[in-house]
Amino acid sequence: MTELVSKWNYPTTVRFGAGRIKELPEVLEATGIANPLFVTDPGLARLPVVASTLKILNDANIPHGVFSDVKPNPVEANLTAGIAVFKQGGHDGVIAFGGGSALDLGKLIAFQAGQTRPVWDFEDIGDWWTRADAASIAPIIAVPTTAGTGSEVGRAGVITNEATHTKKVIFHPKLLPAIVIADPELSVGMPPFITAGTGMDALAHCLEAYCAPGYHPMADGIAVEGIRLVFENLPKAFADGSDLTARAHMMSAAAMGATAFQKGLGAIHSLSHPIGAIYDTHHGMTNAVFMPYVLAFNRPAIEPRIERLASYIGIAGGFDGFADAILNLRRQLDVPHALGGLIKDLDMSEDQKERIAAMAIVDPTAGGNPVELTKEAALKLLNEAIAG
Ligand code: NAD
């Protein structure tokens, strides 16, 4: 693994490489955190990967608290509870440790603990982020244990508003972690379903960013290489979770996806967000289900672009070849072809479909879709994903 070790300062400092979690004490010192709150989720909290990381803190005599009341697709109650623990423990920073759910919640605790306005006032709309008291935001160290969301290199946190059943993206430049430890050894314990879902999330980020309109050659370059890494490594990581090289490349692809999607996302996410908020499905798996339908829908606007991408990755057959490769990748990863494979006893009424389509077109990601996502189009895509 020696060749897969590096230090990046773009978009933030990333200490990348197997075994680098042992550098946590010096990372805390570099960030000026003396008494961190370690935020993770209850599933991970029971796994050796958390015990061994907490041992690193204990061995270095670093006082810390642990908060793990974080559900997948975290909600405001998780944030409120986390802030109470943060304040009660007199913590001065956060170690966000886990998949996107724990990373986002950890980041939001560091952000929101010092604010006086409700978290919903900082949704990623216009310049709402300037409402925040930036000086009171605590520093964040992010340690991903999945390879998908890329939240470790992002300036946003996603939280579900249970009152409205909507996923809200909270944005502030200081939600970007000060330092990331990206240690692929931490991701080897991911079960196949999570490996597949998170990996497809990384692919969805890269693909939608690449297809979003607008000039951003840096994002485009990062996205195409991220897509290549997913095609080459996700099936390997899925088939053999202990393949550390495949895990490492997937961890890179995840960070690349989130770096690229500052250019924009699209209809995969616009549809996946309401489904995730209402049915509590896994975010990446939901993206994976919608992917081929949205790709076909966007074809008139993206065909030459996808042909270029296919030739870079080495997929023959232009757009059709790429679309087949996506279907083939989904099959290899046991991704359901229809939504019913994700949601038990799915029997969606016409009213419910209308409601989801209406939510999709106002999702902030809808504006990045290369073909306008009208309500009729969202409804058609939803029906296709239900029919399979
Ligand atoms: P997750 O964080 O919800 O974790 C899924 C499950 O995997 C959990 O049960 C967890 O315990 C388990 N798990 C995590 N790491 C493991 C490991 N190494 N070994 C064994 N089990 C492990 O899943 P996710 O896909 O990483 O994150 C999804 C969340 O991220 C959603 O809330 C989504 O909305 C959000 N998200 C955020 C951004 C962003 O930019 N901030 C982007 C995409 C998605």
Side-chain angles (χ1 to χ4, degrees):
M1 293 301 291
T2 47
E3 74 281 13
L4 297 180
V5 175
S6 66
K7 181 180 176 190
W8 304 324
N9 287 308
Y10 175 73
T12 187
T13 300
V14 179
R15 295 191 183 208
F16 188 95
R20 294 194 75 169
I21 189 62
K22 65 175 182 300
E23 297 170 26
L24 189 53
E26 64 183 77
V27 165
L28 284 163
E29 198 180 335
T31 323
I33 303 175
N35 177 18
L37 181 63
F38 184 94
V39 179
T40 190
D41 71 50
L44 274 168
R46 287 190 292 271
L47 296 180
V49 81
V50 162
S52 57
T53 304
L54 294 178
K55 184 172 183 306
I56 293 169
L57 296 178
N58 286 327
D59 289 350
N61 293 318
I62 296 170
H64 58 273
V66 177
F67 177 75
S68 63
D69 184 10
V70 180
K71 69 182 283 297
N73 301 318
V75 296
E76 191 178 14
N78 299 143
L79 179 59
T80 307
I83 290 172
V85 173
F86 184 87
K87 287 183 174 167
Q88 202 176 11
H91 298 291
D92 57 357
V94 164
I95 300 170
F97 184 99
S101 300
L103 292 178
D104 281 358
L105 211 272
K107 286 163 62 178
L108 289 173
I109 291 171
F111 168 77
Q112 186 64 18
Q115 306 303 323
T116 49
R117 302 175 70 137
V119 71
W120 313 118
D121 283 3
F122 306 112
E123 197 185 340
D124 189 10
I125 296 174
D127 65 354
W128 283 19
W129 63 272
T130 58
R131 297 165 164 180
D133 175 7
S136 71
I137 302 170
I140 302 157
I141 292 168
V143 185
T145 65
T146 64
T149 71
S151 173
E152 65 274 13
V153 294
R155 298 170 298 164
V158 182
I159 184 162
T160 299
N161 185 333
E162 285 181 297
T164 57
H165 284 293
T166 44
K167 276 200 164 193
K168 297 288 185 190
V169 177
I170 308 301
F171 172 85
H172 194 282
K174 285 182 80 176
L175 275 170
L176 182 69
I179 301 184
V180 177
I181 299 181
D183 179 344
E185 276 180 5
L186 302 176
S187 69
V188 297
M190 260 194 288
F193 177 86
I194 301 293
T195 299
T198 52
M200 289 301 283
D201 195 20
L203 178 59
H205 293 157
C206 291
L207 184 61
E208 295 217 283
Y210 179 67
C211 294
Y215 179 65
H216 204 321
M218 277 190 285
D220 290 343
I222 289 169
V224 291
E225 177 63 2
I227 293 169
R228 188 187 71 78
L229 287 176
V230 172
F231 270 102
E232 289 192 2
N233 294 283
L234 183 52
K236 293 180 191 164
F238 181 76
D240 175 8
S242 65
D243 181 338
L244 211 47
T245 302
R247 290 290 195 194
H249 288 313
M250 283 309 301
M251 208 165 246
S252 296
M256 293 164 83
T259 305
F261 78 54
Q262 54 187 272
K263 184 182 167 209
L265 287 168
I268 296 175
H269 277 80
S270 321
L271 285 154
S272 163
H273 282 156
I275 293 290
I278 295 170
Y279 297 100
D280 215 7
T281 52
H282 183 261
H283 171 73
M285 256 314 166
T286 318
N287 286 343
V289 172
F290 279 113
M291 192 175 289
Y293 309 106
V294 172
L295 186 69
F297 170 70
N298 286 338
R299 183 173 188 154
I302 58 172
E303 187 155 357
R305 183 158 268 270
I306 293 291
E307 282 170 1
R308 268 204 314 277
L309 169 68
S311 85
Y312 174 71
I313 311 176
I315 293 173
F319 187 95
D320 289 324
F322 184 77
D324 284 347
I326 294 276
L327 290 174
N328 188 34
L329 180 65
R330 278 156 103 246
R331 272 191 296 273
Q332 284 181 70
L333 303 172
D334 296 337
V335 172
H337 191 55
L339 270 181
L342 275 191
I343 306 165
K344 213 167 157 271
D345 304 325
L346 180 66
D347 180 17
M348 213 183 273
S349 68
E350 293 307 312
D351 279 357
Q352 179 76 326
K353 288 180 191 171
E354 291 275 339
R355 178 181 167 222
I356 290 169
M359 289 166 84
I361 59 169
V362 297
D363 190 272
T365 58
N369 201 60
V371 176
E372 190 192 351
L373 188 68
T374 60
K375 189 160 171 215
E376 293 67 39
L379 205 50
K380 177 174 168 290
L381 286 165
L382 180 59
N383 275 320
E384 286 173 358
I386 291 171

